[in-house]
Amino acid sequence: MGASRHRLTRRAFLGASAAAPALAKGVRLDFRPLRPRAPLLPERDVSTFCELCFWNCGVIARARKNRVLELMGHPDHPHAQGKLCGRGQAGAAFLRDADRLQYPLIRVGERGEGKFKRVGWKTALQTVAQAFARIKAAHGAEALALIYHGSGGAFLRQFFAAYGSPNAAGPSYAQCRGPRDVGFHLTFGEKLGSPEPLDFERTKAMVLFGSHLGENAHNSQVQAFVKARRRGASLVVLDPRLSTVASKADVWLPVKPGSDLAVMLAWMHLAIAEHAYDADFVSRFTVGFEDLKAHVADKTPEWAAKQAEVPAADIRRAWERIRAAGPAVIFHPGRHATWYGEADTQRARGQAILTAILGAFWAPGGLLRPERATIPPFPWPPAAPLPKDVDKASGRFPLATELTTTGLRDATLTGKPTPIKAWYVHGSNLIQSLPDVAATEEALKKLDFVVVSDVQPTEITRWADVILPEDLYLERYDDLQTAGTVEPFVALRQPVVQSPFDTRPAWRIAKDLAKELGIGDAFPFETFEDYLEARLTGTGIALADLKAQGVVKRPRKTAPYLDRAEGYAFHTPSGKVELFSETMKAQGFDPLPVYQPQPDAPAGTFRLLYGRSPLHTFGRTQNNPILHDLEPSNDLWMHPADAAALGLKDGQSVRMRSPKGRTSGPLPLHVTERIPTGVVYTVHGFGQRSKGLKRAFAMGGSDTEVMDGYRLDPISGSTGMRGNFVTIEGV
Ligand SMILES: Nc1nc2c(c(=O)[nH]1)N[C@H]1C(S)=C(S)[C@@H](COP(=O)(O)OP(=O)(O)OC[C@H]3O[C@@H](n4cnc5c(=O)[nH]c(N)nc54)[C@H](O)[C@@H]3O)O[C@H]1N2
Ligand SMILES: Nc1nc2c(c(=O)[nH]1)N[C@H]1C(S)=C(S)[C@@H](COP(=O)(O)OP(=O)(O)OC[C@H]3O[C@@H](n4cnc5c(=O)[nH]c(N)nc54)[C@H](O)[C@@H]3O)O[C@H]1N2
Ligand code: SF4
Ligand SMILES: [Mo]
């Protein structure tokens, strides 16, 4: 306020109040009366970590009373680096959303009809406990399946193990990173882990297969990528679509869907033909190089160019950049890798083999050796050994590293190898995350009992017999985060505010359910602080410090790079990096990655491709008030020639239809040359069919809804989802 403005005291203001009628007639007040302001309640900053996606970035939450005012990136948390992505910043908007699940519910109509009545926690938990006890008595505890995603899942898994069921799985394996994990594990004998341990800081070239960074908004990885690019690192992107990151590339290879491996084989061919591979690494640490050499002898860039439908000259141009950078090259292993079936594990093998022969394994600028903080597990009481899970009992997927969700669904439908009679679904909207929705719905109908623990009424909750509403991530404790790639660290999730509703954290639900079932001893702690204290004992970390700081970094115990002179015994059968995999051969799979072309789209249909939006995570953010405002719907990308042939115009509403007649949409058509003909593309997670999500309901279209099936990868057990073809119609 300018110095010339009147400052009015309360007395003067009262004295002037006679002028009020004149003022009311339109005289402008050029002063603001001074009113004694109520002192603001103090603000507090609480450290925690984000749950809007599984990057789990450290957050500093500013709160006053029971309100969160602002969420900020934690400066010391390696996944946040002081920043949050757009989704993370919008997290607090969930807290007072009336659409939230507010109290436990029990089904009153038919299963799937979506009719529920409110009950108390005691009734809800007793209902679950009675059903579980009944099923265990009749079919054994292995007839109970847990399907989970997210931080609270660990406690439910503990509950399932204590109660005797081995059948716990998440879509983050068979619908996400399964083939990648298996391909890298078969080659190096190491877990790849999350975040992907990529040395962006020192890299000289980055090669992305799909991996649409920037649209896929994994916070610190995007930041590291941007810094590497600014530093001058080369960028090669393979993607049939001109993704955001492809538009920034030095070389963009718009490969035909499913042809990445052909290009990789050509690069292996060039590396060997030009003696540009890392002969030292190859001779010290690998087996099967001569087999590989013979395998790629005829895989010239010209051969690959025919498969991938990109110019051979561009494959060579990309190779020149890779060659110049070696061994400081990142062949990004990808994350969502369940694309085309068996080809997926073979594609991951291709990425791993390139990493190896260029010497980029545990090397500066390539893949680095990740290190997690070692915090001893909670001293859980010993439990009886578990029987085999359904995949192991059926003997399928012997090379898989985790149980598959689809294996649980199959066992539910067929009763084989052992029947599954109940699902406990925690933080996973299976209607959106599993391809072949008809099979999921049939399985849900067939089950004796379904319990869903969620925070909002997404589609899966409609199928529940009992709904257990969880606290939101800003209202609860969860297990310690002990991640790390370069810097091992421990981070704490702790309540910032209290839930305004009758909701509870997963750890408490698991513990109380155990008690109801007479196995309360399986959770030998009273409060969550007791649990945390027990885990931190002997670590030198005080809970009070962790609460205050949110993140504690730990010194590394291993070097981030391989010491070649010292050597290393790889955890593979040969003790070496397996370019040629005897393990795969023994199981009847190609021991060297063989390129198999994907079929073209049948006439009149389009291959359905999908990806991410930086403002949404799967189907979990569409109803967030802020994110909904920013991006209420997805759209469907189509090439101008295809749109013209169908007589469709940019911006008009269209619907997707599967061969079995399942439809989704309407959603707006985006006519663009950024994708090839014969392909359509959309962002996953929209087209929600739950009316309880008042903002998100029926906005856009669901890719999953029109995925009639999947191409099974018999190596990892994963479900390739890009072999689905759809027709598009105007509405
Ligand atoms: N904002 C946001 N970020 C996220 C997520 C989110 O929901 N929202 N989810 C997170 C999770 S769990 C995951 S797994 C990741 C997924 O993200 P990514 O691992 O990056 O997923 P991709 O499937 O590799 O990338 C999708 C891209 O693949 C392209 N593509 C399709 N077919 C082919 C092909 O045959 N070859 C090649 N080279 N490219 C192809 C598509 O055009 C699209 O651009 O994102 C993570 N990050
Ligand atoms: N068609 C198709 N299918 C896909 C993908 C795709 O791109 N297209 N992507 C695949 C990938 S990469 C992945 S990782 C999986 C992801 O699959 P899911 O993990 O099943 O992901 P969402 O569909 O987001 O389901 C998350 C559910 O958790 C709930 N939720 C959110 N926060 C919390 C919480 O704090 N506590 C609890 N209890 N619940 C919570 C949400 O409301 C929602 O119902 O999907 C896979 N399936
Ligand atoms: S990347 Fe974004 S949504 Fe994911 S955890 Fe980090 S801030 Fe949250
Ligand atoms: Mo994923």
Side-chain angles (χ1 to χ4, degrees), residues 96-102 455-457 623 692-695:
R96 283 166 191 270
D97 183 359
D99 283 2
R100 269 181 76 170
L101 290 172
Q102 302 184 1
V455 293
Q456 48 182 352
N623 205 56
L693 302 173
K694 294 192 196 66
R695 296 173 210 95

Side-chain angles (χ1 to χ4, degrees), residues 20 30 134 149 162 184 249 362 365 393 396 435 571 638 653:
D30 75 338
R134 202 174 54 236
H149 204 178
F184 272 71
W362 290 359
R396 60 182 195 165
H571 299 104
M638 182 182 273
S653 286

Side-chain angles (χ1 to χ4, degrees), residues 230-253:
R230 202 177 291 147
R231 228 178 1 83
S234 293
L235 176 62
V236 173
V237 176
L238 283 73
D239 196 318
R241 181 179 72 101
L242 184 63
S243 62
T244 305
V245 75
S247 73
K248 319 257 179 236
D250 296 304
V251 184
W252 168 43
L253 296 172

Side-chain angles (χ1 to χ4, degrees), residues 174-203:
Q175 283 69 47
C176 179
R177 52 187 167 71
R180 174 197 87 167
D181 287 9
V182 171
F184 272 71
H185 191 258
L186 284 166
T187 314
F188 297 117
E190 298 287 331
K191 269 192 173 168
L192 193 58
S194 171
E196 292 78 36
L198 306 172
D199 195 7
F200 285 100
E201 216 171 291
R202 291 188 175 72
T203 196

